Amino acid sequence: MARHTARDLRSENRFEVLHALLELGTSTRQELARHTGLSPATVATLVTEFLSGGVLHITAVERNTGGRPQERLTIDPDRGRIVGVDVAETYVDATVYDLALGALGHGEAALDAPPGS
């Protein structure tokens, strides 16, 4: 079994936070920490990185009676595109998604049967 480095752990934590946002939708840092099981400090650090990189954005600030206001976070769908491709014997199917996994376009093409089949 390969050893996990600090870099591997950081990458896994980044994945966990993004995956939680995809599952939960708009969330606060506290909700992300509860959902992922990561420490609030780890989530806060990763969210700060994602915000500075434009991957996340703040959709609302909720004021509560005590403590700091909570920021609601979401993935910026326009930050990138993801392409899913299914290649089979008889067709190729592709879908383009925004970063929040909203489908933007889809195409399918039939493949010709190989000679002698």
Side-chain angles (χ1 to χ4, degrees):
M1 178 186 259
R3 287 180 13 138
H4 282 334
T5 65
R7 184 179 193 167
D8 295 333
L9 183 59
R10 185 165 191 77
S11 179
E12 289 171 10
N13 290 346
R14 290 170 59 90
F15 173 81
E16 289 299 325
V17 169
L18 290 175
H19 189 253
L21 274 165
L22 288 171
E23 282 185 356
L24 299 172
T26 303
S27 305
T28 64
R29 289 171 179 84
Q30 294 81 4
E31 291 166 342
L32 292 171
R34 278 193 300 274
H35 188 78
T36 62
L38 297 172
S39 74
T42 297
V43 170
T45 299
L46 294 173
V47 164
T48 299
E49 289 176 11
F50 287 137
L51 286 168
S52 67
V55 175
L56 301 182
H57 61 169
I58 299 168
T59 59
V61 178
E62 296 174 348
R63 308 247 181 242
N64 42 13
T65 57
R68 294 182 180 177
Q70 293 187 349
E71 297 171 328
R72 302 221 44 95
L73 308 159
T74 191
I75 294 174
D76 182 355
D78 296 324
R79 180 63 171 98
R81 299 292 180 255
I82 300 167
V83 178
V85 179
D86 178 15
V87 179
E89 280 187 49
T90 58
Y91 67 90
V92 175
D93 183 86
T95 305
V96 178
Y97 300 91
D98 62 28
L99 199 57
L101 299 184
L104 300 174
H106 175 263
E108 184 174 328
L111 299 176
D112 294 332
S117 58

